[in-house]
Amino acid sequence: MRMWPLSTYPRYAPDWLDLHPEALIGGILEAPAAPARCAIDNLEELRGLPGVETILTASEVPCYPFTTAGQPEPEPSPYDTLILNPLSRYPGEPVALMAASSLDALYHIRQRAKITYEPWYGPLHDQHPNNVAEAVHYSSGPAAPSEADSERFKTTIHVGRVSHMQLEPHAAMCSFDEENRLVIITTTQVPYHVRRIVARALNCPVSRILVKATDVGGGFGGKQEVIVEPWVAILAVKTGKPVKMMLSRRQEFILTRTRHAATLTVESQWHGRQIREIAMSADVETGPYASHGSTVAHNMGLKSLPLYRAEAYHFNASVRYTPGPVAGAMRGYGGPQGAMAVETHLNQVAARKGLSPWCLRHKVLAQTGDALDIFTAASSFKRIHHTNLRNLLSRTRDAIGEGSPMATGEGIGLAMSMQASGVPGSELAEVSIGVDEDGSLFVKTGAIDIGQGARETLSNIIYDALQLPRGHVPISFSMGQTQDFGFDYGTYASSTTYVSGLAAYKAAGIVRRKMESLARSMMRHSELKDTPLSECWTALAHSSFYGPRRHPVMGHAVARPSDSPAPYAIAAVRLTVHDNGELVIHHIVIGVDAGKPINPRGFRGQIEGAVIQGLGYALWEELELDHSDTHVLNPSLFDYALPAPQDIPPLDIIMAQTEDPTTPLGAKSVGEVALAPIAPAIVGAIFRARGIWMRTLPITREKLWNALMAQRETVTPS
Amino acid sequence: MPRLLKTHYSAVVTVNGHVHRLTVPGHERLLTTLRERLHLFSARYGCGTGHCGACVVLVNEEPVPSCLLLTVRQQKNRIQTLEGLKKDSLLAQLMTSFAEEHAAQCGYCTPGLLLSARHLLKTCPSATESQLREELSSHICRCTGYYAPLRAIAKVRDSYAVD
Amino acid sequence: MRWIEAHTIRQVQRCLSANVPIVGGGSWLLSDGSVPEAVCDLREYPWAQGITGNESGWMIGPDVTLSQWLQALDSENVIAEVIRKMGTPIFRRVATVIGAVANPQPVADLYPVMRLLGADIFYIDLHHDSIQHEKLMWPFRANPRALVGLWVPASTPYRFIAFRKYTKGRLTRVLLNLGTGLAQQGDIMTADFVIGGLSQWPYEDRVAGASHSISHQISQRLRNQGNITPFYQALIMEMCDDVLNQWEHRADRRSEL
């Protein structure tokens, strides 16, 4: 049962904002063009308008560079942004922050503001004259293998920008507590990173800031970014009053984050049915601020290449500063782009070799024990593959009906993907569990339930570790309240079950041992009959507060796993491509190896949701830019196409019956893995249906029709 | 341009059976009134243009986007939000079914989905799968891919039809 | 914001001369923070209210929503087919018919079929002291006017009218639409078509001839238009062929409308 998200009591950040009519309303004056130096010509006039409390421009706010990417220190993302940047680098970027007593007052400022701009033709960041934020080169295996008897293949694909389109917009409020600390109520996946990043931007100690994370109305990585929080914080500091801000849907599209657009090339050299060498090069557009750019780029290679066995691997990426909206973390985190490239490449190789894509993968899939960290130095910890996917591959093939007769224009496509369970070697989670006097439990964690079912998952882990029947006693959660402790790097990288779950498991183990010890000592003194713990749990809890051996029971544990096992997904899609370019998906089968499901309904929900986001990525979704690649052309739901209920195809999920050996829970992660293989599986199916390769996402009807026409013209020249 | 004199209006709105006498700006949308004045949080902002369905409430028993309605125009209407349907047995069945199917992931779109589902099953108890999908197309659910909500509603429809 | 409920021609004219926007069922003009000084609401204008239908046609008042008209129509009716393809159920419950006609985007869903049916709009402008009417036509004249009614005659010269549309996603903006009216006299078939989405305003044309030549003729006309992408040409031809096909399958059974 997952009843609590049906509650209508205030629990989202926008609800808390609306409960505070006394707070000033924050807003932004947006840059009309970029890159440009913008100026407000009538600032003093605007400041005099009724209801206006303050208008802050770049010269009036602290200038401590930071990154909006919510990641632990040492932060891999460059500090290339300020609260307000004197050079506006994308249209819509704040030129000024403002606070007023009403939305109407903000509206009047926007109406009357005279913003002029001087276009900027130089590099987006002085330190990067070529607009290259980072160049990455990795290599492993023997250099330049012999080329005598080998075949070479090459594939290039392009993927566009998409928007998270989480339903709840970014919203935050900053007020003060009795100690004059800043209290930030916000909808975030990373409460502790919010605290640290705001502290950095304001140059104040983290202890001056309390973050109260609310329930999150959809994250998908968009709330792993610290966007609104520094703005409300500086407005509150400058006005000395509480300030709240919620972005509009249009602003969500233009000034939050997107998935990275990229052009990827995969080249491979084969000896028969073995890969000698496979190389990926990625040209990644990170937008005008790097944010997660370099880590997302890394993951394009690291989440796709290790699926296959090769003698040598190479990965090059160029992370480029580009005009237009800022890219950031988004479900899949490089995986969808990488899978689109590598899986399409393998499907092309299979076609060229006259093999089925299934058969080729049986040959080249990594084996149990093969390296996952293909580029890591031999001396450091190296993750390995713990499962052999060949059985799951066969089951998926059978379920999609490969080999059964196909109608004209019908085809089946296959693609695979892998993800991680937390950021390898960079995770920390702390969980405290207390037993209350009625036997109920309270759990403090920095993990957030962003819809994935963290509460049910952690609850199940705790019940199981306590050896109590699930649901035996109520559990209440404090999630992401920095004043409650429960440090956590945050809810991203599919880490909650594997990392925070492990901390919960350990903490519950401590609670169990303490309760058992209390029970033993009570039995020795004949205060308790010898009964199973579950039967005397409430009595024990009560006596831990009021009995002769009173000592409230609490368990605290930390997880910082060095491993991060990979979950895998195998997508098979059956579809028909009609002559008019219309594409009909008949059936999707997704084989998933994510270890043991701890919360089966939530597990299924994660796969279903990811598959449909993957379908949107493949067929409809695209944040379109104008001819100068700067302005977003479709910043509304009237123009940004999403999958509708009528578009949802039949979906079957096949589960690998595995348990992960690296954790006592047996569970890996399932939040992201099912998204990435959908697009390349569709591309593969279109090829098998029609003999054409669609190399650019999304595959719209128009693109498909054009490709079909081009093919017809080539085949029958007139 | 000189401000026209009258910008605020007295509005009498009936929400969940309670009559509220309010003074609101002429442009205030019902969504704002419900949330900021009456603290009914089941109606939620998602887009402000009627495309996402997060702000759906019942006006005279029909689900409509409250972000497109102006409060001053609601004098004659009977407005209900999810909060006002606590005793509705069909809604209770739907909520239980949603909870069992894990159909609310983040939960932000869920009140809207519930109101539309209830409306469909009330007006068309044996709604087909395609009618169900058409009705849900009023709502964007980014988390579930619609699978779990569709299962949850179909489950209630099937038991409802038997009753 | 000031709210003006106009009940007389004079009141409406005052709004028109002050450039006060007229609101339909929803409040799209208020989206994303914009707040006009005043708006004029005609939904209670005491001239035509609700849906009045008789054997000669429909009169649609400014208060009628798309979903109300949909419910009043026979589900086989082509207007019902058009409305069912417009937006989502919740959207159809707030958007008014008059609003959809009065604020047409370059591609408007109701326009092609209303045009083929010879719909009349009733309006108030600054030059007349009575309610005027004329055939619905694009582009509207430049002088401001406020629509207070839509008249859709029941009789039509066509035996069959059909509507098709193309969008990027299922629920996004219409990019291309086609309304076709087919008539037949002896062996001669006439096809009138209205296509939205090709240029600033809908393209209208008529072809006539033997039924098997219709498709070819339309294709010729489109080619002569120029500036139509091959994809849109193919899309329109597919829509036309689909309509003609549907017509042939229905022709022997009964005459439409």
Side-chain angles (χ1 to χ4, degrees):
Chain A
M1 289 285 274
R2 185 172 160 90
M3 189 52 106
W4 65 269
L6 302 174
S7 162
T8 55
Y9 290 106
R11 60 191 196 88
Y12 299 106
D15 301 347
W16 296 113
L17 266 53
D18 283 345
L19 281 171
H20 287 274
E22 80 288 359
L24 295 170
I25 302 173
I28 54 190
L29 282 173
E30 298 174 11
R37 289 194 181 273
C38 300
I40 302 163
D41 292 347
N42 58 343
L43 196 54
E44 288 318 307
E45 179 201 332
L46 299 179
R47 284 181 169 145
L49 288 173
V52 176
E53 186 78 18
T54 190
I55 301 176
L56 301 173
T57 58
S59 61
E60 295 154 307
V61 298
C63 285
Y64 302 100
F66 62 98
T67 173
T68 60
Q71 293 167 305
E73 291 188 344
E75 288 166 289
S77 305
Y79 294 168
D80 60 3
T81 193
L82 303 169
I83 297 175
L84 285 171
N85 291 287
L87 174 65
S88 299
R89 295 181 174 91
Y90 61 92
E93 180 170 359
V95 174
L97 296 168
M98 50 195 184
S101 57
S102 70
L103 273 174
D104 286 1
L106 290 180
Y107 171 72
H108 286 120
I109 304 176
R110 277 194 209 102
Q111 286 290 294
R112 284 166 178 73
K114 295 196 177 83
I115 304 180
T116 53
Y117 61 90
E118 264 179 70
W120 171 259
Y121 300 103
L124 286 162
H125 295 271
D126 290 340
Q127 313 89 302
H128 302 274
N130 303 324
N131 281 334
V132 175
E134 198 186 343
V136 182
H137 305 282
Y138 290 136
S139 247
S140 73
S146 67
E147 297 191 18
D149 50 349
S150 60
E151 295 172 284
R152 284 186 161 273
F153 302 95
K154 183 175 175 180
T155 301
T156 298
I157 61 103
H158 177 77
V159 289
R161 281 168 197 78
V162 295
S163 183
H164 300 80
M165 235 322 285
Q166 77 284 14
L167 208 46
E168 176 205 48
H170 288 75
M173 180 169 80
C174 183
S175 56
F176 303 90
D177 74 354
E178 69 284 0
E179 301 276 350
N180 210 32
R181 286 175 295 211
L182 292 176
V183 181
I184 301 176
I185 295 175
T186 183
T187 171
T188 183
Q189 297 171 238
V190 287
Y192 284 90
H193 297 331
V194 168
R195 185 176 68 150
R196 201 190 64 252
I197 289 169
V198 172
R200 182 184 309 286
L202 300 182
N203 193 32
C204 73
V206 291
S207 56
R208 299 301 303 160
I209 298 172
L210 304 181
V211 173
K212 293 175 182 284
T214 61
D215 286 348
V216 172
F220 317 120
K223 289 167 184 166
Q224 197 193 337
E225 293 274 347
V226 183
I227 300 172
V228 182
E229 295 90 345
W231 298 342
V232 289
I234 191 63
L235 285 167
V237 168
K238 292 284 182 180
T239 59
K241 295 177 182 173
V243 177
K244 58 187 180 181
M245 189 190 295
M246 181 170 90
L247 299 184
S248 70
R249 180 54 54 193
R250 184 187 61 81
Q251 290 174 320
E252 282 289 313
F253 278 113
I254 63 168
L255 56 73
T256 67
R257 300 292 175 262
T258 71
R259 182 177 287 144
H260 290 76
T263 303
L264 296 103
T265 298
V266 180
E267 286 181 87
S268 62
Q269 200 191 129
W270 294 66
H271 177 69
R273 291 176 182 183
Q274 282 177 345
I275 308 175
R276 280 256 165 96
E277 184 184 38
I278 183 160
M280 176 190 281
S281 66
D283 174 22
V284 180
E285 300 176 36
T286 195
Y289 297 100
S291 180
H292 289 262
S294 74
T295 33
V296 166
H298 283 229
N299 278 292
M300 291 183 191
L302 300 180
K303 288 197 170 124
S304 56
L305 297 171
L307 262 176
Y308 304 103
R309 202 172 224 197
E311 288 169 34
Y313 300 91
H314 308 286
F315 175 63
N316 294 312
S318 163
V319 183
R320 284 191 299 116
Y321 283 120
T322 51
V326 184
M330 185 169 172
R331 199 176 196 175
Y333 207 80
Q337 295 96 324
M340 176 66 190
V342 171
E343 297 301 309
T344 302
H345 181 68
L346 275 155
N347 287 336
Q348 290 194 329
V349 171
R352 291 275 295 279
K353 284 179 170 290
L355 295 171
S356 87
W358 310 89
C359 171
L360 186 77
R361 280 180 180 75
H362 265 283
K363 301 287 176 207
V364 296
L365 258 179
Q367 306 275 1
T368 307
D370 283 359
L372 256 179
D373 292 328
I374 48 177
F375 297 121
T376 311
S379 54
S380 53
F381 176 78
K382 257 194 174 184
R383 297 179 303 138
I384 56 167
H385 289 278
H386 292 291
T387 40
N388 187 333
L389 292 169
R390 286 168 176 76
N391 180 32
L392 186 61
L393 188 65
S394 304
R395 288 171 64 203
T396 308
R397 185 190 59 206
D398 295 344
I400 199 71
E402 177 75 65
S404 62
M406 293 278 150
T408 316
E410 197 176 359
I412 287 177
L414 160 72
M416 303 180 56
S417 70
M418 53 173 257
Q419 205 71 25
S421 305
V423 182
S426 177
E427 285 291 354
L428 175 62
E430 189 187 24
V431 170
S432 302
I433 304 174
V435 185
D436 213 338
E437 61 177 75
D438 60 354
S440 68
L441 303 167
F442 54 90
V443 178
K444 293 178 180 182
T445 167
I448 309 275
D449 194 319
I450 57 173
Q452 84 281 40
R455 287 205 206 185
E456 289 75 20
T457 302
L458 294 179
S459 297
N460 288 350
I461 289 170
I462 291 166
Y463 289 129
D464 294 355
L466 292 172
Q467 294 163 29
L468 294 177
R470 289 186 178 178
H472 188 68
V473 289
I475 302 182
S476 67
F477 282 92
S478 155
M479 295 183 127
Q481 310 298 307
T482 61
Q483 80 277 19
D484 279 3
F485 299 106
F487 189 90
D488 199 294
Y489 280 179
T491 300
Y492 59 85
S494 299
S495 66
T496 303
T497 301
Y498 190 77
V499 184
S500 311
L502 180 62
Y505 173 83
K506 289 174 163 180
I510 294 166
V511 168
R512 168 146 191 108
R513 284 193 292 281
K514 286 185 179 174
M515 291 293 271
E516 280 169 346
S517 137
L518 177 63
R520 276 194 303 274
S521 92
M522 285 173 70
M523 280 180 235
R524 269 200 304 278
H525 294 86
S526 311
E527 294 157 16
L528 191 73
K529 272 187 257 165
D530 189 0
T531 48
L533 203 56
S534 62
E535 284 172 32
C536 60
W537 185 269
T538 319
L540 275 177
H542 187 265
S543 104
S544 76
F545 282 83
Y546 301 111
R549 263 151 292 283
R550 55 192 171 271
H551 191 296
V553 169
M554 190 140 187
H556 167 261
V558 163
R560 40 168 197 183
S562 47
D563 209 335
S564 171
Y568 307 93
I570 305 173
V573 176
R574 182 192 275 261
L575 53 75
T576 295
V577 180
H578 293 286
D579 288 340
N580 60 10
E582 211 180 318
L583 188 148
V584 180
I585 309 247
H586 304 300
H587 191 195
I588 298 182
V589 176
I590 188 140
V592 176
D593 177 351
K596 189 173 111 184
I598 288 170
N599 172 23
R601 300 257 181 197
F603 188 95
R604 182 176 180 182
Q606 286 298 289
I607 296 170
E608 290 170 341
V611 164
I612 295 310
Q613 286 187 6
L615 191 66
Y617 189 50
L619 300 183
W620 298 287
E621 294 183 40
E622 185 177 24
L623 210 56
E624 296 164 30
L625 301 186
D626 66 357
H627 61 279
S628 63
D629 277 349
T630 309
H631 288 267
V632 177
L633 294 174
N634 56 343
S636 87
L637 290 173
F638 198 26
D639 292 298
Y640 185 87
L642 289 163
Q646 296 96 324
D647 299 321
I648 304 309
L651 172 69
D652 285 310
I653 299 168
I654 296 179
M655 311 257 290
Q657 308 293 327
T658 58
E659 290 200 14
D660 185 73
T662 68
T663 161
L665 305 171
K668 298 189 277 194
S669 74
V670 74
E672 302 174 86
V673 69
L675 192 153
I678 303 301
I682 288 173
V683 171
I686 292 172
F687 172 76
R688 292 182 73 196
R690 290 285 182 166
I692 48 176
W693 289 108
M694 301 302 296
R695 294 187 183 86
T696 302
L697 296 185
I699 306 163
T700 59
R701 182 167 167 187
E702 184 165 1
K703 280 185 201 158
L704 201 44
W705 183 86
N706 284 328
L708 287 167
M709 286 315 290
Q711 181 195 40
R712 208 169 297 168
E713 280 160 20
T714 332
V715 175
T716 53
S718 54
Chain B
M1 191 168 155
R3 301 271 302 174
L4 292 161
L5 289 176
K6 191 174 179 190
T7 58
H8 282 62
Y9 290 79
S10 59
V12 182
V13 286
T14 309
V15 182
N16 298 333
H18 299 285
V19 179
H20 301 270
R21 285 165 212 286
L22 307 166
T23 303
V24 301
H27 63 266
E28 183 163 307
R29 294 132 182 262
L30 181 59
L31 175 63
T32 309
T33 306
L34 294 174
R35 293 181 57 86
E36 294 183 14
R37 295 177 195 273
L38 308 181
H39 293 166
L40 296 166
F41 293 114
S42 68
R44 290 159 186 162
Y45 172 89
C47 68
T49 51
H51 287 96
C52 78
C55 65
V56 158
V57 299
L58 300 180
V59 172
N60 303 328
E61 287 291 326
E62 295 212 309
V64 290
S66 62
C67 73
L68 290 186
L69 301 178
L70 295 167
T71 304
V72 290
R73 298 288 310 164
Q74 306 307 317
Q75 314 259 20
K76 295 173 193 155
N77 291 336
R78 204 158 48 81
I79 295 151
Q80 284 166 291
T81 66
L82 197 68
E83 287 92 337
L85 292 162
K86 291 262 151 76
K87 291 185 183 145
D88 184 89
S89 70
L90 177 54
L91 189 78
Q93 285 180 56
L94 282 164
M95 288 178 82
T96 308
S97 188
F98 265 59
E100 285 167 358
E101 288 293 330
H102 210 294
Q105 286 194 21
C106 80
Y108 201 79
C109 71
T110 315
L113 289 180
L114 288 166
L115 290 178
S116 278
R118 174 181 171 274
H119 174 74
L120 181 67
L121 294 187
K122 264 198 135 68
T123 51
C124 183
S126 53
T128 61
E129 175 74 13
S130 78
Q131 283 173 310
L132 244 169
R133 288 180 180 222
E134 162 76 10
E135 194 70 28
L136 288 200
S137 72
S138 295
H139 303 273
I140 289 175
C141 173
R142 191 63 156 160
C143 293
T144 64
Y146 297 100
Y147 288 105
L150 286 167
R151 278 197 296 273
I153 300 165
K155 207 162 96 177
V156 173
R157 175 199 60 197
D158 297 344
S159 63
Y160 198 60
V162 176
D163 288 350
Chain C
M1 189 184 79
R2 199 168 148 223
W3 190 267
I4 304 162
E5 278 182 13
H7 294 279
T8 65
I9 290 180
R10 193 52 61 81
Q11 284 171 334
V12 175
Q13 286 175 331
R14 271 205 295 272
C15 288
L16 288 172
S17 57
N19 286 324
V20 172
I22 316 278
V23 288
S27 48
W28 276 37
L29 74 166
L30 306 179
S31 61
D32 214 2
S34 88
V35 183
E37 296 281 343
V39 293
C40 174
D41 186 356
L42 289 179
R43 272 179 293 174
E44 295 192 15
Y45 191 82
W47 185 75
Q49 283 286 301
I51 308 172
T52 344
N54 59 30
E55 60 282 0
S56 59
W58 299 97
M59 178 60 95
I60 306 297
D63 58 330
V64 177
T65 63
L66 292 170
S67 92
Q68 284 166 343
W69 199 12
L70 181 61
Q71 279 164 21
L73 289 161
D74 176 37
S75 70
E76 296 272 302
N77 188 303
V78 65
I79 303 169
E81 189 190 328
V82 176
I83 296 176
R84 271 197 301 270
K85 289 178 182 165
M86 292 175 74
T88 61
I90 58 165
F91 173 80
R92 296 195 289 264
R93 288 184 200 118
V94 292
T96 59
V97 175
I98 294 286
V101 172
N103 305 309
Q105 279 126 353
V107 207
D109 275 331
L110 268 180
Y111 182 81
V113 165
M114 289 298 114
R115 179 85 184 118
L116 290 168
L117 289 172
D120 273 17
I121 47 168
F122 287 78
Y123 61 93
I124 296 167
D125 68 9
L126 291 170
H127 306 292
H128 303 87
D129 288 334
S130 61
I131 288 173
Q132 305 293 304
H133 72 99
E134 67 176 29
K135 287 269 172 278
L136 175 66
M137 180 127 109
W138 185 289
F140 290 149
R141 285 176 305 185
N143 51 348
R145 53 186 179 180
L147 268 57
V148 293
L150 178 74
W151 165 252
V152 186
S155 70
T156 152
Y158 305 112
R159 298 271 303 279
F160 181 56
I161 297 180
F163 175 75
R164 298 287 184 274
K165 72 187 263 191
Y166 169 69
T167 54
K168 192 167 58 170
R170 195 173 289 269
L171 300 172
T172 49
R173 185 190 301 277
V174 54
L175 297 176
L176 184 87
N177 63 12
L178 166 95
T180 315
L182 302 178
Q184 192 150 23
Q185 272 195 327
D187 288 342
I188 300 298
M189 188 173 182
T190 312
D192 284 342
F193 50 97
V194 182
I195 304 171
L198 296 179
S199 60
Q200 283 299 88
W201 52 77
Y203 166 59
E204 293 186 18
D205 212 339
R206 165 179 289 183
V207 296
S211 66
H212 63 269
S213 75
I214 294 291
S215 176
H216 179 68
Q217 287 190 58
I218 295 175
S219 151
Q220 285 295 331
R221 297 285 169 90
L222 290 177
R223 219 160 285 162
N224 294 342
Q225 275 294 298
N227 290 337
I228 305 177
T229 66
F231 173 63
Y232 269 26
Q233 280 200 20
L235 208 54
I236 296 166
M237 288 319 299
E238 192 209 328
M239 290 173 175
C240 286
D241 290 342
D242 192 36
V243 168
L244 291 167
N245 197 22
Q246 193 186 352
W247 155 251
E248 271 165 26
H249 281 88
R250 287 185 171 207
D252 47 8
R253 276 186 282 145
R254 65 193 178 99
S255 59
E256 284 294 308
L257 299 156

